[in-house]
mmCIF file of all heavy atoms in Angstrom:
data_model
loop_
_atom_site.group_PDB
_atom_site.id
_atom_site.type_symbol
_atom_site.label_atom_id
_atom_site.label_comp_id
_atom_site.label_asym_id
_atom_site.label_seq_id
_atom_site.Cartn_x
_atom_site.Cartn_y
_atom_site.Cartn_z
ATOM 1 N N TRP G 1 140.415 54.039 16.271
ATOM 2 C CA TRP G 1 139.647 54.641 15.180
ATOM 3 C C TRP G 1 138.511 55.530 15.687
ATOM 4 O O TRP G 1 138.096 56.458 15.004
ATOM 5 C CB TRP G 1 139.070 53.543 14.275
ATOM 6 C CG TRP G 1 140.112 52.782 13.538
ATOM 7 C CD1 TRP G 1 141.317 53.242 13.093
ATOM 8 C CD2 TRP G 1 140.071 51.397 13.160
ATOM 9 N NE1 TRP G 1 142.031 52.244 12.480
ATOM 10 C CE2 TRP G 1 141.295 51.097 12.496
ATOM 11 C CE3 TRP G 1 139.123 50.383 13.315
ATOM 12 C CZ2 TRP G 1 141.589 49.838 11.992
ATOM 13 C CZ3 TRP G 1 139.416 49.118 12.815
ATOM 14 C CH2 TRP G 1 140.635 48.854 12.160
ATOM 15 N N ASN G 2 138.028 55.248 16.886
ATOM 16 C CA ASN G 2 136.910 56.017 17.435
ATOM 17 C C ASN G 2 137.361 57.151 18.353
ATOM 18 O O ASN G 2 136.517 57.793 18.984
ATOM 19 C CB ASN G 2 135.964 55.089 18.205
ATOM 20 C CG ASN G 2 135.105 54.246 17.273
ATOM 21 O OD1 ASN G 2 134.303 54.764 16.513
ATOM 22 N ND2 ASN G 2 135.299 52.945 17.315
ATOM 23 N N THR G 3 138.672 57.378 18.428
ATOM 24 C CA THR G 3 139.192 58.467 19.255
ATOM 25 C C THR G 3 139.261 59.744 18.424
ATOM 26 O O THR G 3 139.778 59.732 17.306
ATOM 27 C CB THR G 3 140.594 58.113 19.800
ATOM 28 O OG1 THR G 3 140.516 56.860 20.491
ATOM 29 C CG2 THR G 3 141.094 59.178 20.761
ATOM 30 N N HIS G 4 138.762 60.836 18.972
ATOM 31 C CA HIS G 4 138.616 62.066 18.191
ATOM 32 C C HIS G 4 139.895 62.902 18.139
ATOM 33 O O HIS G 4 140.116 63.628 17.177
ATOM 34 C CB HIS G 4 137.462 62.905 18.745
ATOM 35 C CG HIS G 4 136.142 62.224 18.628
ATOM 36 N ND1 HIS G 4 135.515 62.009 17.420
ATOM 37 C CD2 HIS G 4 135.326 61.671 19.564
ATOM 38 C CE1 HIS G 4 134.369 61.377 17.613
ATOM 39 N NE2 HIS G 4 134.234 61.159 18.911
ATOM 40 N N ASP G 5 140.750 62.833 19.160
ATOM 41 C CA ASP G 5 142.002 63.590 19.095
ATOM 42 C C ASP G 5 143.122 62.672 18.607
ATOM 43 O O ASP G 5 143.150 61.473 18.914
ATOM 44 C CB ASP G 5 142.351 64.191 20.462
ATOM 45 C CG ASP G 5 142.709 63.127 21.489
ATOM 46 O OD1 ASP G 5 141.797 62.353 21.877
ATOM 47 O OD2 ASP G 5 143.871 63.044 21.885
ATOM 48 N N LYS G 6 144.036 63.224 17.827
ATOM 49 C CA LYS G 6 145.077 62.433 17.175
ATOM 50 C C LYS G 6 146.047 61.809 18.175
ATOM 51 O O LYS G 6 146.545 60.702 17.951
ATOM 52 C CB LYS G 6 145.847 63.300 16.174
ATOM 53 C CG LYS G 6 145.023 63.706 14.955
ATOM 54 C CD LYS G 6 144.565 62.488 14.173
ATOM 55 C CE LYS G 6 143.745 62.851 12.953
ATOM 56 N NZ LYS G 6 143.263 61.643 12.239
ATOM 57 N N PHE G 7 146.336 62.521 19.265
ATOM 58 C CA PHE G 7 147.250 61.938 20.261
ATOM 59 C C PHE G 7 146.652 60.666 20.851
ATOM 60 O O PHE G 7 147.321 59.637 20.952
ATOM 61 C CB PHE G 7 147.539 62.952 21.371
ATOM 62 C CG PHE G 7 148.375 62.384 22.488
ATOM 63 C CD1 PHE G 7 149.720 62.123 22.309
ATOM 64 C CD2 PHE G 7 147.789 62.085 23.723
ATOM 65 C CE1 PHE G 7 150.486 61.573 23.342
ATOM 66 C CE2 PHE G 7 148.547 61.543 24.757
ATOM 67 C CZ PHE G 7 149.898 61.298 24.562
ATOM 68 N N GLY G 8 145.381 60.721 21.247
ATOM 69 C CA GLY G 8 144.727 59.535 21.789
ATOM 70 C C GLY G 8 144.632 58.420 20.773
ATOM 71 O O GLY G 8 144.801 57.237 21.103
ATOM 72 N N GLU G 9 144.357 58.788 19.523
ATOM 73 C CA GLU G 9 144.270 57.785 18.457
ATOM 74 C C GLU G 9 145.595 57.051 18.277
ATOM 75 O O GLU G 9 145.643 55.817 18.219
ATOM 76 C CB GLU G 9 143.873 58.474 17.154
ATOM 77 C CG GLU G 9 143.778 57.550 15.958
ATOM 78 C CD GLU G 9 143.459 58.296 14.676
ATOM 79 O OE1 GLU G 9 142.897 59.409 14.762
ATOM 80 O OE2 GLU G 9 143.758 57.769 13.596
ATOM 81 N N LEU G 10 146.683 57.821 18.206
ATOM 82 C CA LEU G 10 148.005 57.214 18.015
ATOM 83 C C LEU G 10 148.447 56.443 19.251
ATOM 84 O O LEU G 10 149.098 55.396 19.151
ATOM 85 C CB LEU G 10 149.029 58.294 17.673
ATOM 86 C CG LEU G 10 148.901 58.895 16.275
ATOM 87 C CD1 LEU G 10 149.705 60.181 16.172
ATOM 88 C CD2 LEU G 10 149.385 57.889 15.229
ATOM 89 N N LEU G 11 148.111 56.959 20.426
ATOM 90 C CA LEU G 11 148.477 56.278 21.666
ATOM 91 C C LEU G 11 147.768 54.928 21.759
ATOM 92 O O LEU G 11 148.391 53.907 22.101
ATOM 93 C CB LEU G 11 148.117 57.159 22.863
ATOM 94 C CG LEU G 11 148.526 56.656 24.249
ATOM 95 C CD1 LEU G 11 150.025 56.412 24.315
ATOM 96 C CD2 LEU G 11 148.105 57.652 25.319
ATOM 97 N N ALA G 12 146.482 54.890 21.446
ATOM 98 C CA ALA G 12 145.733 53.625 21.468
ATOM 99 C C ALA G 12 146.297 52.646 20.440
ATOM 100 O O ALA G 12 146.457 51.447 20.726
ATOM 101 C CB ALA G 12 144.256 53.891 21.204
ATOM 102 N N ALA G 13 146.610 53.148 19.244
ATOM 103 C CA ALA G 13 147.184 52.279 18.207
ATOM 104 C C ALA G 13 148.555 51.764 18.624
ATOM 105 O O ALA G 13 148.878 50.586 18.424
ATOM 106 C CB ALA G 13 147.287 53.040 16.888
ATOM 107 N N GLY G 14 149.374 52.643 19.226
ATOM 108 C CA GLY G 14 150.705 52.236 19.666
ATOM 109 C C GLY G 14 150.651 51.175 20.745
ATOM 110 O O GLY G 14 151.431 50.205 20.729
ATOM 111 N N ILE G 15 149.744 51.319 21.708
ATOM 112 C CA ILE G 15 149.615 50.328 22.777
ATOM 113 C C ILE G 15 149.119 48.999 22.214
ATOM 114 O O ILE G 15 149.577 47.921 22.614
ATOM 115 C CB ILE G 15 148.662 50.851 23.875
ATOM 116 C CG1 ILE G 15 149.318 52.042 24.597
ATOM 117 C CG2 ILE G 15 148.328 49.752 24.877
ATOM 118 C CD1 ILE G 15 148.389 52.769 25.542
ATOM 119 N N THR G 16 148.197 49.055 21.262
ATOM 120 C CA THR G 16 147.721 47.831 20.612
ATOM 121 C C THR G 16 148.862 47.135 19.877
ATOM 122 O O THR G 16 149.006 45.902 19.943
ATOM 123 C CB THR G 16 146.580 48.159 19.631
ATOM 124 O OG1 THR G 16 145.528 48.829 20.335
ATOM 125 C CG2 THR G 16 146.030 46.898 19.003
ATOM 126 N N LEU G 17 149.691 47.920 19.184
ATOM 127 C CA LEU G 17 150.871 47.356 18.516
ATOM 128 C C LEU G 17 151.860 46.782 19.522
ATOM 129 O O LEU G 17 152.531 45.784 19.252
ATOM 130 C CB LEU G 17 151.552 48.439 17.674
ATOM 131 C CG LEU G 17 150.809 48.877 16.411
ATOM 132 C CD1 LEU G 17 151.400 50.183 15.880
ATOM 133 C CD2 LEU G 17 150.874 47.796 15.352
ATOM 134 N N TYR G 18 151.951 47.403 20.675
ATOM 135 C CA TYR G 18 152.842 46.943 21.749
ATOM 136 C C TYR G 18 152.468 45.532 22.190
ATOM 137 O O TYR G 18 153.314 44.639 22.283
ATOM 138 C CB TYR G 18 152.766 47.934 22.907
ATOM 139 C CG TYR G 18 153.308 47.447 24.229
ATOM 140 C CD1 TYR G 18 154.672 47.468 24.503
ATOM 141 C CD2 TYR G 18 152.448 46.990 25.236
ATOM 142 C CE1 TYR G 18 155.162 47.038 25.733
ATOM 143 C CE2 TYR G 18 152.934 46.567 26.449
ATOM 144 C CZ TYR G 18 154.285 46.589 26.703
ATOM 145 O OH TYR G 18 154.759 46.166 27.916
ATOM 146 N N PHE G 19 151.186 45.321 22.463
ATOM 147 C CA PHE G 19 150.746 43.991 22.887
ATOM 148 C C PHE G 19 150.769 43.003 21.721
ATOM 149 O O PHE G 19 151.274 41.879 21.859
ATOM 150 C CB PHE G 19 149.333 44.073 23.475
ATOM 151 C CG PHE G 19 149.283 44.684 24.846
ATOM 152 C CD1 PHE G 19 148.653 45.907 25.060
ATOM 153 C CD2 PHE G 19 149.868 44.052 25.928
ATOM 154 C CE1 PHE G 19 148.608 46.472 26.317
ATOM 155 C CE2 PHE G 19 149.828 44.609 27.196
ATOM 156 C CZ PHE G 19 149.197 45.823 27.397
ATOM 157 N N GLY G 20 150.242 43.419 20.577
ATOM 158 C CA GLY G 20 150.183 42.517 19.433
ATOM 159 C C GLY G 20 151.553 42.174 18.873
ATOM 160 O O GLY G 20 151.824 41.017 18.532
ATOM 161 N N GLY G 21 152.432 43.179 18.774
ATOM 162 C CA GLY G 21 153.766 42.952 18.226
ATOM 163 C C GLY G 21 154.591 42.020 19.093
ATOM 164 O O GLY G 21 155.238 41.087 18.595
ATOM 165 N N GLN G 22 154.584 42.257 20.406
ATOM 166 C CA GLN G 22 155.341 41.382 21.304
ATOM 167 C C GLN G 22 154.769 39.967 21.298
ATOM 168 O O GLN G 22 155.523 38.983 21.329
ATOM 169 C CB GLN G 22 155.319 41.937 22.734
ATOM 170 C CG GLN G 22 156.195 43.152 22.923
ATOM 171 C CD GLN G 22 156.421 43.445 24.395
ATOM 172 O OE1 GLN G 22 157.532 43.362 24.898
ATOM 173 N NE2 GLN G 22 155.357 43.788 25.096
ATOM 174 N N GLY G 23 153.442 39.873 21.267
ATOM 175 C CA GLY G 23 152.832 38.555 21.225
ATOM 176 C C GLY G 23 153.225 37.790 19.977
ATOM 177 O O GLY G 23 153.564 36.598 20.040
ATOM 178 N N LEU G 24 153.212 38.477 18.830
ATOM 179 C CA LEU G 24 153.569 37.834 17.564
ATOM 180 C C LEU G 24 155.026 37.387 17.561
ATOM 181 O O LEU G 24 155.349 36.269 17.143
ATOM 182 C CB LEU G 24 153.312 38.802 16.408
ATOM 183 C CG LEU G 24 153.612 38.284 15.005
ATOM 184 C CD1 LEU G 24 152.710 37.108 14.672
ATOM 185 C CD2 LEU G 24 153.421 39.389 13.969
ATOM 186 N N ILE G 25 155.931 38.256 18.038
ATOM 187 C CA ILE G 25 157.356 37.909 18.058
ATOM 188 C C ILE G 25 157.605 36.718 18.973
ATOM 189 O O ILE G 25 158.354 35.794 18.644
ATOM 190 C CB ILE G 25 158.199 39.120 18.486
ATOM 191 C CG1 ILE G 25 158.148 40.219 17.418
ATOM 192 C CG2 ILE G 25 159.651 38.714 18.732
ATOM 193 C CD1 ILE G 25 158.811 41.520 17.834
ATOM 194 N N ASN G 26 156.987 36.728 20.163
ATOM 195 C CA ASN G 26 157.204 35.627 21.101
ATOM 196 C C ASN G 26 156.692 34.308 20.540
ATOM 197 O O ASN G 26 157.386 33.286 20.611
ATOM 198 C CB ASN G 26 156.514 35.938 22.431
ATOM 199 C CG ASN G 26 156.682 34.815 23.449
ATOM 200 O OD1 ASN G 26 155.912 33.863 23.473
ATOM 201 N ND2 ASN G 26 157.711 34.926 24.272
ATOM 202 N N LEU G 27 155.490 34.311 19.980
ATOM 203 C CA LEU G 27 154.923 33.074 19.440
ATOM 204 C C LEU G 27 155.757 32.567 18.259
ATOM 205 O O LEU G 27 155.981 31.363 18.126
ATOM 206 C CB LEU G 27 153.476 33.301 19.015
ATOM 207 C CG LEU G 27 152.489 33.586 20.149
ATOM 208 C CD1 LEU G 27 151.117 33.932 19.590
ATOM 209 C CD2 LEU G 27 152.390 32.400 21.091
ATOM 210 N N ALA G 28 156.218 33.495 17.409
ATOM 211 C CA ALA G 28 157.070 33.098 16.282
ATOM 212 C C ALA G 28 158.383 32.513 16.785
ATOM 213 O O ALA G 28 158.908 31.548 16.222
ATOM 214 C CB ALA G 28 157.331 34.301 15.379
ATOM 215 N N MET G 29 158.912 33.075 17.875
ATOM 216 C CA MET G 29 160.170 32.587 18.456
ATOM 217 C C MET G 29 159.994 31.178 19.031
ATOM 218 O O MET G 29 160.798 30.278 18.762
ATOM 219 C CB MET G 29 160.609 33.560 19.560
ATOM 220 C CG MET G 29 161.843 33.163 20.319
ATOM 221 S SD MET G 29 162.134 34.308 21.699
ATOM 222 C CE MET G 29 160.874 33.733 22.869
ATOM 223 N N VAL G 30 158.939 30.975 19.807
ATOM 224 C CA VAL G 30 158.711 29.669 20.431
ATOM 225 C C VAL G 30 158.420 28.603 19.375
ATOM 226 O O VAL G 30 158.816 27.442 19.533
ATOM 227 C CB VAL G 30 157.549 29.764 21.450
ATOM 228 C CG1 VAL G 30 157.227 28.388 22.030
ATOM 229 C CG2 VAL G 30 157.908 30.730 22.579
ATOM 230 N N CYS G 31 157.746 28.989 18.297
ATOM 231 C CA CYS G 31 157.402 28.036 17.236
ATOM 232 C C CYS G 31 158.524 27.856 16.219
ATOM 233 O O CYS G 31 158.348 27.140 15.210
ATOM 234 C CB CYS G 31 156.127 28.482 16.527
ATOM 235 S SG CYS G 31 154.661 28.452 17.596
ATOM 236 N N GLY G 32 159.665 28.516 16.424
ATOM 237 C CA GLY G 32 160.817 28.333 15.550
ATOM 238 C C GLY G 32 160.804 29.157 14.288
ATOM 239 O O GLY G 32 161.651 28.958 13.407
ATOM 240 N N LEU G 33 159.863 30.096 14.167
ATOM 241 C CA LEU G 33 159.801 30.946 12.980
ATOM 242 C C LEU G 33 160.697 32.167 13.109
ATOM 243 O O LEU G 33 160.878 32.905 12.145
ATOM 244 C CB LEU G 33 158.353 31.404 12.736
ATOM 245 C CG LEU G 33 157.330 30.290 12.551
ATOM 246 C CD1 LEU G 33 155.931 30.869 12.433
ATOM 247 C CD2 LEU G 33 157.668 29.450 11.325
ATOM 248 N N PHE G 34 161.238 32.377 14.296
ATOM 249 C CA PHE G 34 162.073 33.539 14.578
ATOM 250 C C PHE G 34 163.160 33.099 15.549
ATOM 251 O O PHE G 34 162.919 32.215 16.375
ATOM 252 C CB PHE G 34 161.206 34.651 15.199
ATOM 253 C CG PHE G 34 161.758 36.042 15.045
ATOM 254 C CD1 PHE G 34 161.664 36.696 13.829
ATOM 255 C CD2 PHE G 34 162.375 36.687 16.096
ATOM 256 C CE1 PHE G 34 162.162 37.981 13.673
ATOM 257 C CE2 PHE G 34 162.884 37.971 15.959
ATOM 258 C CZ PHE G 34 162.774 38.613 14.741
ATOM 259 N N PRO G 35 164.371 33.661 15.456
ATOM 260 C CA PRO G 35 165.413 33.270 16.403
ATOM 261 C C PRO G 35 165.014 33.577 17.846
ATOM 262 O O PRO G 35 164.169 34.438 18.102
ATOM 263 C CB PRO G 35 166.616 34.134 15.976
ATOM 264 C CG PRO G 35 166.338 34.532 14.570
ATOM 265 C CD PRO G 35 164.854 34.631 14.457
ATOM 266 N N VAL G 36 165.618 32.870 18.787
ATOM 267 C CA VAL G 36 165.345 33.105 20.207
ATOM 268 C C VAL G 36 165.956 34.445 20.592
ATOM 269 O O VAL G 36 167.179 34.604 20.622
ATOM 270 C CB VAL G 36 165.925 31.970 21.073
ATOM 271 C CG1 VAL G 36 165.674 32.255 22.557
ATOM 272 C CG2 VAL G 36 165.310 30.636 20.679
ATOM 273 N N VAL G 37 165.085 35.423 20.879
ATOM 274 C CA VAL G 37 165.562 36.792 21.145
ATOM 275 C C VAL G 37 165.111 37.328 22.502
ATOM 276 O O VAL G 37 165.439 38.442 22.876
ATOM 277 C CB VAL G 37 165.086 37.764 20.036
ATOM 278 C CG1 VAL G 37 165.803 37.476 18.739
ATOM 279 C CG2 VAL G 37 163.575 37.697 19.847
ATOM 280 N N GLY G 38 164.352 36.561 23.251
ATOM 281 C CA GLY G 38 164.025 36.976 24.606
ATOM 282 C C GLY G 38 162.952 38.042 24.722
ATOM 283 O O GLY G 38 163.082 38.961 25.522
ATOM 284 N N VAL G 39 161.890 37.936 23.932
ATOM 285 C CA VAL G 39 160.754 38.857 24.034
ATOM 286 C C VAL G 39 159.633 38.151 24.781
ATOM 287 O O VAL G 39 159.210 37.071 24.371
ATOM 288 C CB VAL G 39 160.268 39.303 22.639
ATOM 289 C CG1 VAL G 39 158.999 40.148 22.749
ATOM 290 C CG2 VAL G 39 161.358 40.094 21.930
ATOM 291 N N PRO G 40 159.119 38.713 25.875
ATOM 292 C CA PRO G 40 158.085 38.030 26.659
ATOM 293 C C PRO G 40 156.730 38.072 25.980
ATOM 294 O O PRO G 40 156.446 38.946 25.159
ATOM 295 C CB PRO G 40 158.065 38.824 27.979
ATOM 296 C CG PRO G 40 158.502 40.211 27.584
ATOM 297 C CD PRO G 40 159.516 40.006 26.482
ATOM 298 N N LEU G 41 155.890 37.119 26.352
ATOM 299 C CA LEU G 41 154.498 37.083 25.890
ATOM 300 C C LEU G 41 153.655 37.848 26.911
ATOM 301 O O LEU G 41 153.564 37.433 28.061
ATOM 302 C CB LEU G 41 154.022 35.638 25.769
ATOM 303 C CG LEU G 41 152.636 35.395 25.179
ATOM 304 C CD1 LEU G 41 152.525 35.986 23.777
ATOM 305 C CD2 LEU G 41 152.325 33.901 25.153
ATOM 306 N N PRO G 42 153.075 38.994 26.524
ATOM 307 C CA PRO G 42 152.383 39.850 27.499
ATOM 308 C C PRO G 42 151.372 39.096 28.355
ATOM 309 O O PRO G 42 150.532 38.361 27.832
ATOM 310 C CB PRO G 42 151.691 40.900 26.615
ATOM 311 C CG PRO G 42 152.550 40.982 25.392
ATOM 312 C CD PRO G 42 153.024 39.575 25.174
ATOM 313 N N PHE G 43 151.478 39.284 29.669
ATOM 314 C CA PHE G 43 150.607 38.710 30.694
ATOM 315 C C PHE G 43 150.774 37.209 30.864
ATOM 316 O O PHE G 43 150.314 36.650 31.865
ATOM 317 C CB PHE G 43 149.131 39.023 30.415
ATOM 318 C CG PHE G 43 148.780 40.465 30.612
ATOM 319 C CD1 PHE G 43 148.480 41.272 29.518
ATOM 320 C CD2 PHE G 43 148.759 41.029 31.863
ATOM 321 C CE1 PHE G 43 148.159 42.609 29.694
ATOM 322 C CE2 PHE G 43 148.443 42.363 32.053
ATOM 323 C CZ PHE G 43 148.141 43.160 30.965
#
């Protein structure tokens, strides 16, 4: 939100979604809320 050029703004948002999305899918998978699909938990 604090990035002034649109490319940087979208890139920062995309990377945040990359970490957050994979984390959410992995946790949902391990907790049985999602089928086992083989998505790693970042770091």
Side-chain angles (χ1 to χ4, degrees):
W1 294 328
N2 284 297
T3 305
H4 297 291
D5 68 292
K6 291 299 180 182
F7 175 72
E9 179 183 337
L10 288 165
L11 185 57
I15 292 171
T16 303
L17 289 165
Y18 164 81
F19 286 114
Q22 286 195 115
L24 181 63
I25 293 173
N26 179 274
L27 293 174
M29 176 186 76
V30 176
C31 295
L33 302 175
F34 203 76
V36 178
V37 290
V39 174
L41 185 58
F43 290 110

